[in-house]
Amino acid sequence: MSGFVEKGIIRVHNHVGPDIWLMQIELPRIAKEAKPGQFVHVKVNDPRYILRRPISIAGTDAGRGIVEIIYRIVGKGTEAMSHLKVGDTLDCLGPLGTSFDMNRDHIVGIGGGVGIAPILFMARASREGQMTVVIGGRNKEEVFW
């Protein structure tokens, strides 16, 4: 699958850690198709930033058409994203990338900071007892999950 462009309304946009934000976007087609390990390319609503930002999908709620992402402010583009408000529209391309193989008896997911996003999605999709998760961060504020 090569993904598709979908514009969605931001439903949740919360500051969850040092320069770390969680956003839920109403993207029904992407939410229906996305699998753990995939990402979306987000277009910032500012003509100064023409390139899309690749951001891992942290989870979906296909029934509500919601895609959840977690991102860190690392440059001017993600800084501009952090100023978006609930109700704003965001242009996304996805789902993209190769998904994780969930056909295993036991999975170990290891990550830290915003690197936990695909692990969170995988943990939500796993069977009970199928996954062990180890997370870390630079400090206790980065361990927000």
Side-chain angles (χ1 to χ4, degrees):
M1 174 196 307
S2 60
F4 36 82
V5 174
E6 187 172 18
K7 292 183 180 180
I9 297 171
I10 297 170
R11 296 299 181 195
V12 172
H13 195 201
N14 295 330
H15 186 235
V16 295
D19 292 328
I20 301 173
W21 292 80
L22 180 144
M23 184 183 287
Q24 292 182 351
I25 313 155
E26 193 173 307
L27 300 165
R29 288 183 66 196
I30 295 174
K32 181 180 174 189
E33 300 292 330
K35 294 179 178 45
Q38 292 187 303
F39 65 97
V40 289
H41 265 174
V42 177
K43 184 175 181 183
V44 180
N45 298 339
D46 188 320
R48 295 175 294 171
Y49 310 110
I50 59 172
L51 297 177
R52 292 179 180 270
R53 273 56 187 171
I55 302 180
S56 294
I57 298 172
T60 62
D61 181 337
R64 292 178 41 230
I66 297 293
V67 172
E68 184 175 274
I69 60 173
I70 298 171
Y71 68 94
R72 178 189 305 274
I73 299 172
V74 293
K76 293 178 181 177
T78 47
E79 169 69 29
M81 271 181 65
S82 73
H83 296 288
L84 295 171
K85 306 286 184 221
V86 170
D88 288 347
T89 300
L90 202 55
D91 184 308
C92 296
L93 169 63
L96 301 170
T98 304
S99 62
F100 295 134
D101 180 1
M102 299 290 293
N103 191 22
R104 302 278 184 245
D105 290 333
H106 191 256
I107 301 166
V108 178
I110 302 171
V114 294
I116 69 162
I119 295 166
L120 175 57
F121 192 6
M122 188 180 221
R124 290 172 170 167
S126 67
R127 297 183 313 272
E128 186 173 337
Q130 180 185 17
M131 189 166 178
T132 300
V133 176
V134 180
I135 62 171
R138 296 177 199 166
N139 51 51
K140 68 180 181 177
E141 289 79 24
E142 280 202 4
V143 184
F144 53 86
W145 175 38

